[in-house]
Amino acid sequence: RFVGSLGTIVIKCKDLRIIQLDIPGMEECLNIASSIEALSTLDSVTLMYPFFYRPMFEVLEDGWSSFLLEQEFELLSSMTNEWRLSCVNKEFSVCPSYPAVVIVPKSVDDEALRKVALFRHGGRFPVLSYYHKKNGMAMMRSSQPLTGTNGRRCKEDEKLINSTLRSGRRGFVIDTRPLAVAQQARAKGGGFEQEVHYPQWRRIHKYIERFNILQESFIKLVEACNDQSHNMDRWLSKLEASNWLTHIKELLTAACLAAQCIDREGASVLVHGSEGTDSTLQVTSLAQIILDPRCRTIRGFEALVVREWLQAGHPFQQRCAQSAYSNSKQKWEAPVFLLFLECVWQIHRQFPCSFEFNEQFLIMLFEHAYASQFGTFLGNNENERAKLKLPQKTMSLWSWVNRPEELSRFQNPLYEANSLVIWPSVAPQSLQLWEGVFLRWNRPSKFLEEAEEERMNIIKYNKELQAKVNQLRRQLAELEADEEVQEP
Amino acid sequence: FHAVLLLQVENVKLLDRYANRKAASGTLYLTATHLIYVDASAEVRKETWILHHHISSVEKLPLTTAGYPLLIHCKNFHVAHFVIGQERDCHDVFTSLLKLSQPVKPEELYAFSYNPKTSKENREMGWKLIDLRLDYQRMGIPNDCWEIADINKDYEVCSTYPPEIVVPRAATKAVVMGSSRFRSRGRIPVLSYLHKENNAALCRCSQPLAGFSARCLEDEQMLQAIREANPGCPFMYVVDTRPKLNAMANRAAGKGYENEDNYENIRFKFIGIENIHVMRSSLQKLLEVCEMKSPSMSDFLTGLENSGWLRHIKAVMDAGVFLAKAVREERASVLVHCSDGWDRTAQVCSLASLLLDPFYRTFKGFMVLIEKEWIAMGHKFSHRCGHLDGDPKEVSPVFTQFVECVWQLMQQFPCSFEFSERFLLEIHDHVYSCQFGNFLGTCHKEREELRIFEKTHSLWPFLLQRKQELRNPLYRGFAAYKELQPNTLPFSFQFWCGMYNRFDKGMQPKQCVLDQLLSCTSQKVTLEDSAAQLESKLPVLDGPSPSKGCTSPKAGAAAAKAPTPQDCAEGAAPVLSNGPSLGHEKHKESPAQPQDLRASREDGQAQHQ
C-alpha cells in the first residue's frame, strides 16, 4: 500500500513494515507510485507472484504431496478402525469448501453424508479433526446445523455425531458463538443442536470474535505499536482498547476447554461456529497443539496447518488480502490465522522446550500467509486451488521450508520431545504482546538476536560434548573388550 | 526443628489462590523466625516457609464453612491464605504473627540472632568483601581533581553520609562546611561516579535551602569546583528529579532548587519522578491488580495502567538514561538531587552508573553499587522497608523500583549482566528479611551504633557462594558491552510477572530456559574433563581421531565467555545427566487453567534444617 506525495512514497507492507522512499522528481515519483499501486492490487490470482516465481533451489520433495490426507488416515488406522476415508466430495459438489477426501465415522455411508451436508451450513458436515490416542476420544468439526426457526432436524446428522460416542457417554458441542447469536442465526436458517434432538450432547457456548471485529482490533494494535509519541498511560490504554490480547485469551481459553473435554472428561467433542471456517479451525487446531505432541514438531505443525487450515477450507485469499494497513474496508479481511499463530507463540513461550520449531518459524508462516512467492496460501479452498492448478503451476512453500538448509533456521535448540499434554496458563499476567511480529520494525533487535545466538551456542556445544564423551566411552569399552580377548 | 517452637496448629488448610484445586491440609508451626506450613495431604512432603520479617500484613477474614481464614501478605509479594479449624487457634496465630512480624526494637531483628556457624574471622572477612575505596580507585580517585576526604569522620558535615566522602580537591573545608549548612540535612554534593574516559562526574546531594531568594557563596563555589574538575565541558547539569510543582512548593518551606542566575554555567533541569507516597500507593494498586481473581485482559490492563506503576518505572529509567547520556555524549558533569537526596537520587545515580559502566553489571560490581549508592549514602532501608514497627507513611518501594529497572534492562540486554533475575529477587528478599546486617538501620552512623559490623553477618559472601545458580548463562563478559542505551518507549517495558506474581507458579512459564542453560554450562567442565580423561586413556592409534566430531569450543559463544572463566562451574554437576527434562512431569496434573501454587518451599532463603 502506498500514500504518495511530493517525492516521498510511503510503503506499508503486509508484514507490518513501513518503508519510506524519497524520490527526486515529481514525475518519476508518481510513476513509481502508480506502478506499485497497480502491482500490489492485482485483480486476478493468476497474475500473482507465485505464478511467475522460478525457484533457485533444487526441489528435494514436492511440498504439494507432502501432506496428503491418505497418509494421515494411515496413521489413524494404526490406532483405530472406527473411521473411514470418504470420497463423497471428490467433485467438490457436496461441500465446495471441503477437500476431495475426508475422514468420517465408518458406520456412516456416503448417502447419509450427502443428506447431512444439506443440513449443515455450506455443506460442511461433521468430519474428524483429531483422534486422541490416549483415550480414543474424537474431536470433530463442522458448520452450524440449519435448524431454522421451526427446529428442523436431520436423523442422519444425529446418527453421525452419536456414532462417535461410546455407549453411555456424553459428548460436548462447543459452539463458538454466544447463545444469543446462535439463536438469532435461526432466523436466517442457521441454528444449533437442540438438546431434545441430541440428548447425549451438552452444548457449551464459548464466544470467539469474528471478521471485522478482529480486523479492527488488529488495525488498532498496529497503530498503537507504530505511534512512538505515546506516554505509558496512553500506550497501555491503547493496548487495552485494541482488545487484541483479549481475543488471544478467549481463544486460548476455548482451546483449553476443548482439550479438557477430550483429555479430562474423556468425552468426544464437536466444534463449530457459523460457517466453520474460522473460529472453529482456531479452536480445533490449538486444541491439538495442547493435546498432541506430534503437532509441536516442525513436520507435525506443517501437517496441522495443511489439514486444519488449508484443506479444511479457511479462506486465506479473503482473510489475508490486505493485512493491517488497508484503507479500504475489506469485508472478508480478518487476522484469523495470525491469531492462531500468536496463540501458538504464547504456548511456546510457556513451554519453551516442547516445540521443535522456534518463533521465526511462526513469523515466517505469518508472512507467507499474507504474501508469498509460493502458491500454498493462494485460493480459499482445495476446490479453488485445483481449478487454479496451483500444484502444477506454482511452487509449494513446504518444498522450500523442508530443505535442510532452511529447516536449520527454524529449529528450537531447546527442544526435547515432550509426550504430555501441555496446559497453558491463560491468566493475563501470563500473556504478552507478540513483540516478534508487532514491535519487529519498531526497535532494534540486535541484542535479542545475540541472546538467541548465545543460547544456541551453549546448547550446541553441550550436545557436541556429550556426543564426544559417549563416543570416547564406547571406543574405550571396545578397546578394553579387545584387550581382554587378546591378553589371556 | 532447630528453633524454638512457639506454636503448633493442626488441621490447617492452605488455599490455592485460584480456587478449583483441592486445598492442602496440614500443620502450621510458628518458630521464633518463621511460619512453617507442612502439607500433610501431599504425597511428597511439601513445606511453605514464611519469614516473620517478610510479613507485611495479617488479616482475619469472616468465618467460612471451612473454618477461620487468615490472609497473610508478604513484602516479597507472597500471599498465603490459611484456613484454621478452631477460632481460638486462629486468634493465637493471628496475635503471635502480629507481634512477631512487627518488632519494636532493632535487637529483635533476625540478623542479631542469625547464626550460620561460620568463624569470627570469616564473618569479619565478609564485611570487608566490598571495599568502596577500591571502586574509587578503579575510577582513578584520588586524582588531581578528586579526593577521598575523611572530613565527615565525626559526622560533622552530615549525619547520614558515611565518614569518607569524595569531593573536589578544590573545595576547601570552609566550602564543604558552608555548603553543608545550605543543603537539606547537610547532604552536600559528593561524587557518585566518575566516568574515567572523559572526566565527567556524576554527583549527588539534597535540595538547597534556597527558599525564594537565599544563596550561599560556599555552595556556589562547591558547584564551581565540581564543574571545573571536568575541564572538557564548559557547563554542568543540575538535575532535580522531582516534578517542578513539588520543588516549587518546597520553596515556601525555605527549601527548593538552584537558581540558574546564582550559579555559574549550570543548566538546570527537572525530571518529574513522583515522591515516596505516590509510589507506595501505586504499588498497592498494582498488587491489587495482581491479586484479582480471574481478571479479564481488560481488567488487568486497565488496572495496570491505573496503578501508574510502569509509568513510574519509565520515569526512573528515563532519568537514568538522561544522566548517562549527559555524561557520555555531552561529556558534562551532572549534579543530581531530589528533596533529601536518598530516594530518587539513589535510584537514578545507581541506574546511570549501571548504564555507563559494565563493572556494575557483574556480581561484585552490583554489590558495590548497592553498598555505595544505597547503603553508604543513607537510603533509609529500615524506614522504607518497614523493618520495625513505625510510621507506615515512611514505607515505600523505592528500592524495588530500582531492582525492577535493572530487570527491565535485562530484558533488553540479555547478555550484558553476569547475574540473572534470580540474583535480583534474592537481594530483594534480603532487603526485607533482616537476616543480614547490610540493610538494617538508615545510615552508616546508625549501623555503627547498632554495632552491625560486630554482631551480624554481611549478605554478600552468602550470595557469592551461590553464584553458580544466580549467574546468567548468556553473559558475554565484561568487555562485550560498554554503555547500554536502552529503548524507553512505553512498549519496551513489561509487567514483571516473576516479581509480583512470583509465588503464583502457574502463571510462570512451565519450562525454565534458564535452568536448562545453567545445567548445560555447569556440565561443560565435567564433560570437558571426562573427554580429556578418556582421550588420555585411549592409546594413540592410527584409527580415526575421536575428537574430530567436536567443533572447537573457541567458536562463538565460548570465546566471548573468556573473561568469566570456569571458576564458577566447579560445583559437582552430574556427568551426562542427559539434559534434565525440566518440568515435563510436573505439569502433568495441572488443569486447564493451571494457575496453581506448586512450590514445595516458598521461602527462598534460610537454608537451615
Side-chain angles (χ1 to χ4, degrees):
Chain A
R1 305 289 306 136
F2 90 108
V3 183
S5 71
L6 277 173
T8 300
I9 302 176
V10 177
I11 306 174
K12 298 185 169 183
C13 307
K14 291 177 181 174
D15 63 3
L16 311 182
R17 192 207 307 229
I18 298 182
I19 299 170
Q20 184 172 323
L21 299 175
D22 290 329
I23 295 166
M26 198 48 186
E27 202 172 327
E28 278 106 324
C29 182
L30 286 173
N31 283 341
I32 294 171
S34 54
S35 302
I36 295 175
E37 170 83 286
L39 290 169
S40 63
T41 51
L42 296 170
D43 287 330
S44 166
V45 180
T46 52
L47 291 176
M48 286 178 158
Y49 191 18
F51 286 92
F52 303 98
Y53 172 70
R54 289 290 161 264
M56 300 296 284
F57 57 85
E58 187 195 348
V59 177
L60 302 172
E61 176 196 347
D62 183 10
W64 286 114
S65 51
S66 292
F67 305 100
L68 300 176
L69 203 64
E70 285 80 1
Q71 295 162 359
E72 205 61 42
F73 183 72
E74 214 167 283
L75 200 72
L76 179 70
S77 307
S78 68
M79 302 186 266
T80 169
N81 59 4
E82 294 164 354
W83 302 85
R84 69 179 182 94
L85 274 182
S86 165
C87 298
V88 68
N89 197 38
K90 68 172 179 294
E91 307 293 333
F92 304 109
S93 54
V94 176
C95 171
S97 62
Y98 269 177
V101 209
V102 290
I103 301 175
V104 292
K106 204 170 204 169
S107 57
V108 180
D109 60 26
D110 284 357
E111 200 41 49
L113 290 178
R114 283 196 189 89
K115 283 186 184 148
V116 176
L118 292 173
F119 181 66
R120 292 275 172 179
H121 190 120
R124 295 175 69 91
F125 52 88
V127 295
L128 180 74
S129 162
Y130 170 66
Y131 179 82
H132 198 45
K133 192 178 165 190
K134 193 167 127 194
N135 58 12
M137 291 302 135
M139 177 161 61
M140 288 180 300
R141 55 178 158 76
S142 67
S143 58
Q144 63 177 340
L146 303 173
T147 54
T149 36
N150 49 12
R152 209 157 69 90
R153 58 189 287 196
C154 169
K155 289 277 184 211
E156 289 80 6
D157 189 71
E158 292 159 26
K159 182 171 169 265
L160 192 164
I161 305 184
N162 286 338
S163 66
T164 65
L165 293 177
R166 298 278 140 87
S167 60
R169 300 299 291 267
R170 284 158 64 94
F172 291 90
V173 176
I174 296 177
D175 192 324
T176 61
R177 303 163 295 177
L179 181 59
V181 173
Q183 279 167 342
Q184 283 161 18
R186 290 190 296 193
K188 291 184 208 147
F192 52 86
E193 293 81 357
Q194 278 181 314
E195 249 113 47
V196 273
H197 301 144
Y198 299 84
Q200 286 164 285
W201 293 80
R202 231 191 96 199
R203 214 176 56 245
I204 306 173
H205 291 272
K206 197 83 204 164
Y207 186 32
I208 294 171
E209 280 292 357
R210 296 161 41 88
F211 309 129
N212 56 334
I213 306 277
L214 297 180
Q215 182 63 14
E216 268 168 39
S217 167
F218 184 32
I219 291 172
K220 276 189 198 163
L221 176 67
V222 171
E223 258 172 28
C225 292
N226 284 347
D227 190 338
Q228 313 225 331
S229 68
H230 291 328
N231 62 24
M232 184 58 83
D233 288 3
R234 185 118 183 88
W235 156 248
L236 287 174
S237 111
K238 284 223 162 185
L239 179 62
E240 190 270 321
S242 80
N243 269 327
W244 184 262
L245 286 170
T246 301
H247 301 317
I248 295 289
K249 180 167 156 47
E250 296 306 319
L251 199 47
L252 279 170
T253 309
C256 283
L257 176 75
Q260 201 175 12
C261 288
I262 294 170
D263 190 65
R264 296 282 148 137
E265 304 290 327
S268 282
V269 171
L270 170 68
V271 184
H272 69 72
S274 304
E275 295 86 358
T277 53
D278 295 280
S279 55
T280 306
L281 306 182
Q282 289 174 322
V283 173
T284 56
S285 53
L286 282 171
Q288 291 178 61
I289 294 282
I290 294 169
L291 293 169
D292 186 2
R294 192 167 65 101
C295 294
R296 298 173 220 141
T297 64
I298 291 183
R299 197 81 191 180
F301 189 76
E302 291 171 354
L304 181 77
V305 169
V306 171
R307 199 169 68 236
E308 290 297 292
W309 290 88
L310 292 163
Q311 293 173 349
H314 175 67
F316 276 99
Q317 196 160 312
Q318 288 177 349
R319 299 288 182 265
C320 305
Q322 299 286 332
S323 186
Y325 297 127
S326 61
N327 316 344
S328 53
K329 277 238 154 80
Q330 299 283 330
K331 196 179 169 203
W332 302 113
E333 179 86 23
V336 177
F337 187 62
L338 173 60
L339 276 162
F340 158 70
L341 291 177
E342 174 162 344
C343 285
V344 177
W345 176 80
Q346 300 281 1
I347 304 176
H348 194 301
R349 219 182 60 79
Q350 297 186 29
F351 294 90
C353 307
S354 298
F355 289 82
E356 193 189 4
F357 49 86
N358 59 16
E359 180 183 3
Q360 293 312 314
F361 185 68
L362 296 172
I363 296 175
M364 179 274 295
L365 287 175
F366 156 64
E367 289 176 347
H368 282 280
Y370 277 90
S372 176
Q373 65 270 49
F374 302 106
T376 301
F377 291 105
L378 290 184
N380 290 309
N381 48 53
E382 293 289 279
N383 186 8
E384 287 188 21
R385 279 177 208 114
K387 281 188 186 138
L388 289 167
K389 297 200 165 54
L390 291 180
Q392 293 82 38
K393 291 187 172 169
T394 72
M395 181 62 60
S396 162
L397 171 66
W398 315 121
S399 308
W400 171 72
V401 171
N402 286 333
R403 291 156 45 80
E405 303 92 300
E406 303 302 332
L407 270 185
S408 65
R409 288 196 296 132
F410 299 125
Q411 263 152 359
N412 171 14
L414 293 164
Y415 177 61
E416 275 177 47
N418 170 5
S419 61
L420 298 166
V421 175
I422 54 174
W423 299 109
S425 158
V426 297
Q429 288 97 319
S430 307
L431 304 178
Q432 272 186 11
L433 180 68
W434 192 4
E435 300 178 17
V437 164
F438 295 104
L439 301 181
R440 186 175 170 198
W441 310 108
N442 300 337
R443 52 137 206 225
S445 55
K446 174 170 172 265
F447 302 106
L448 301 180
E449 279 160 17
E450 281 173 2
E452 190 53 43
E453 190 189 319
E454 197 74 13
R455 264 187 283 265
M456 295 265 282
N457 286 337
I458 290 173
I459 289 168
K460 200 170 140 226
Y461 183 54
N462 182 266
K463 283 188 178 153
E464 284 173 356
L465 266 181
Q466 292 203 352
K468 182 179 166 183
V469 168
N470 287 342
Q471 193 201 347
L472 285 171
R473 287 234 168 89
R474 251 195 324 275
Q475 280 193 327
L476 199 63
E478 278 166 19
L479 269 176
E480 277 166 2
D482 285 351
E483 278 166 24
E484 272 170 36
V485 174
Q486 287 166 10
E487 267 171 27
Chain B
F1 297 101
H2 78 294
V4 190
L5 190 60
L6 302 177
L7 198 64
Q8 175 173 353
V9 182
E10 306 288 342
N11 291 323
V12 176
K13 290 191 184 71
L14 176 58
L15 297 192
D16 195 301
R17 264 171 72 185
Y18 299 93
N20 40 15
R21 290 211 110 198
K22 209 179 126 242
S25 170
T27 311
L28 189 143
Y29 304 89
L30 292 188
T31 73
T33 53
H34 286 81
L35 176 159
I36 303 160
Y37 177 76
V38 181
D39 183 356
S41 55
E43 306 91 59
V44 277
R45 187 182 169 89
K46 253 168 70 174
E47 293 177 7
T48 304
W49 289 54
I50 297 174
L51 187 66
H52 296 325
H53 287 315
H54 270 161
I55 295 175
S56 58
S57 75
V58 191
E59 285 168 76
K60 281 206 272 188
L61 301 181
L63 174 68
T64 66
T65 48
Y68 295 84
L70 201 61
L71 186 61
I72 299 177
H73 280 92
C74 297
K75 293 169 179 173
N76 59 354
F77 312 121
H78 187 182
V79 181
H81 194 158
F82 292 106
V83 179
I84 299 171
Q86 300 295 317
E87 185 174 16
R88 166 114 216 124
D89 288 339
C90 180
H91 187 72
D92 284 349
V93 174
F94 178 72
T95 47
S96 308
L97 282 180
L98 276 190
K99 212 165 131 268
L100 290 164
S101 65
Q102 292 172 348
V104 180
K105 284 187 263 154
E107 301 81 68
E108 296 170 45
L109 294 172
Y110 187 18
F112 292 100
S113 59
Y114 175 59
N115 180 8
K117 308 218 162 52
T118 52
S119 68
K120 183 162 171 286
E121 291 72 35
N122 266 342
R123 199 186 56 76
E124 282 166 2
M125 288 282 286
W127 281 113
K128 287 182 187 133
L129 183 71
I130 302 298
D131 183 351
L132 297 187
R133 272 186 165 254
L134 284 179
D135 193 44
Y136 292 122
Q137 245 172 50
R138 213 177 50 84
M139 301 177 204
I141 296 172
N143 61 14
D144 291 348
C145 301
W146 297 93
E147 62 178 346
I148 305 176
D150 63 354
I151 192 163
N152 196 36
K153 63 176 185 298
D154 299 318
Y155 303 107
E156 273 176 19
V157 180
C158 170
S159 64
T160 55
Y161 272 179
E164 289 187 339
I165 49 181
V166 178
V167 288
R169 265 190 207 284
T172 61
K173 184 166 185 195
V175 166
V176 170
M177 296 312 288
S179 172
S180 87
R181 280 188 295 275
F182 189 64
R183 292 279 165 182
S184 180
R185 298 175 202 269
R187 294 174 65 92
I188 56 159
V190 296
L191 182 115
S192 138
Y193 175 71
L194 180 66
H195 201 51
K196 232 167 123 183
E197 284 82 354
N198 60 15
N199 286 317
L202 198 56
C203 300
R204 55 184 289 181
C205 61
S206 62
Q207 63 184 334
L209 304 176
F212 290 99
S213 58
R215 49 191 292 189
C216 166
L217 191 61
E218 289 91 342
D219 195 61
E220 288 158 26
Q221 286 169 343
M222 185 66 153
L223 265 68
Q224 187 186 353
I226 293 174
R227 180 170 52 78
E228 285 172 354
N230 176 20
C233 182
F235 67 93
M236 73 182 276
Y237 279 108
V238 175
V239 173
D240 189 329
T241 56
R242 297 170 293 183
K244 191 173 180 184
L245 269 177
N246 301 21
M248 282 168 62
N250 263 298
R251 293 213 314 210
K255 299 166 189 169
Y257 53 91
E258 290 80 359
N259 184 340
E260 262 182 319
D261 299 336
N262 297 344
Y263 295 83
E264 222 176 300
N265 293 319
I266 65 162
R267 292 189 187 172
F268 185 84
K269 189 180 156 63
F270 285 111
I271 295 182
I273 302 177
E274 299 289 349
N275 65 26
I276 57 167
H277 310 294
V278 175
M279 301 308 190
R280 179 178 57 246
S281 89
S282 171
L283 178 65
Q284 192 50 46
K285 286 185 200 148
L286 179 78
L287 294 179
E288 278 162 23
V289 175
C290 295
E291 271 182 62
M292 278 197 285
K293 275 204 175 124
S294 50
S296 71
M297 198 38 119
S298 240
D299 293 341
F300 177 73
L301 288 174
T302 310
L304 185 61
E305 179 196 341
N306 290 339
S307 77
W309 184 255
L310 285 176
R311 186 178 74 227
H312 300 313
I313 295 293
K314 175 169 153 54
V316 175
M317 189 75 98
D318 277 329
V321 168
F322 174 82
L323 300 188
K325 227 173 157 178
V327 166
R328 185 186 59 239
E329 283 170 23
E330 298 188 68
R331 314 166 64 85
S333 290
V334 190
L335 176 65
V336 190
H337 68 73
C338 44
S339 298
D340 290 312
W342 51 41
D343 293 313
R344 286 166 276 203
T345 302
Q347 288 178 327
V348 302
C349 284
S350 47
L351 203 55
S353 304
L354 196 77
L355 292 172
L356 287 167
D357 192 336
F359 171 67
Y360 296 122
R361 290 171 234 142
T362 63
F363 276 107
K364 195 75 181 285
F366 196 66
M367 295 171 181
V368 168
L369 191 66
I370 291 175
E371 280 286 342
K372 188 161 63 101
E373 298 302 320
W374 294 84
I375 297 175
M377 294 305 287
H379 173 68
K380 304 198 290 177
F381 278 107
S382 174
H383 295 174
R384 296 292 177 259
C385 303
H387 288 163
L388 296 169
D389 192 16
D391 183 0
K393 287 209 168 67
E394 280 284 302
V395 174
S396 186
V398 178
F399 187 75
T400 304
Q401 289 182 318
F402 165 67
V403 170
E404 173 162 346
C405 284
V406 178
W407 179 82
Q408 299 283 0
L409 287 175
M410 285 178 168
Q411 304 313 297
Q412 289 195 38
F413 305 96
C415 307
S416 67
F417 289 84
E418 190 184 8
F419 45 85
S420 72
E421 174 186 26
R422 288 178 191 165
F423 183 60
L424 297 180
L425 293 175
E426 205 62 38
I427 293 175
H428 188 261
D429 272 349
H430 281 297
V431 164
Y432 290 98
S433 75
C434 301
Q435 189 176 347
F436 298 93
N438 308 60
F439 305 104
L440 302 191
T442 57
C443 58
H444 194 85
K445 183 162 175 263
E446 199 179 322
R447 276 187 292 277
E448 275 182 343
E449 285 160 8
L450 289 170
R451 300 180 56 206
I452 295 289
F453 308 105
E454 293 107 76
K455 291 181 166 175
T456 73
H457 294 262
S458 166
L459 168 65
W460 310 124
F462 286 82
L463 288 185
L464 278 185
Q465 270 173 16
R466 298 173 53 201
K467 208 170 166 179
Q468 180 70 323
E469 53 181 303
L470 303 175
R471 82 204 147 83
N472 169 19
L474 300 178
Y475 183 50
R476 287 200 163 182
F478 194 80
Y481 303 89
K482 244 177 107 47
E483 292 109 1
L484 301 184
Q485 298 178 46
N487 186 338
T488 61
L489 287 171
F491 57 59
S492 309
F493 293 85
Q494 294 170 12
F495 167 72
W496 190 3
C497 187
M499 173 72 117
Y500 306 104
N501 285 108
R502 176 174 158 204
F503 295 90
D504 301 305
K505 290 287 186 267
M507 287 186 191
Q508 318 296 336
K510 308 296 187 305
Q511 293 170 331
C512 180
V513 176
L514 179 60
D515 281 334
Q516 195 88 314
L517 294 175
L518 280 176
S519 90
C520 278
T521 47
S522 59
Q523 279 173 17
K524 186 176 149 191
V525 176
T526 5
L527 281 173
E528 278 169 349
D529 283 355
S530 37
Q533 253 176 32
L534 287 167
E535 267 174 344
S536 68
K537 279 190 200 164
L538 280 170
V540 193
L541 295 170
D542 300 331
S545 162
S547 57
K548 255 183 195 163
C550 200
T551 57
S552 162
K554 282 169 197 85
K561 279 201 159 297
T564 50
Q566 295 82 353
D567 62 340
C568 46
E570 268 152 25
V575 190
L576 281 178
S577 74
N578 243 337
S581 48
L582 287 156
H584 289 184
E585 295 303 319
K586 284 186 192 160
H587 52 75
K588 206 171 178 175
E589 291 306 314
S590 46
Q593 300 188 17
Q595 297 133 335
D596 52 339
L597 212 82
R598 211 181 290 107
S600 55
R601 232 179 122 219
E602 316 287 42
D603 172 308
Q605 63 260 331
Q607 303 286 346
H608 39 223
Q609 302 306 313

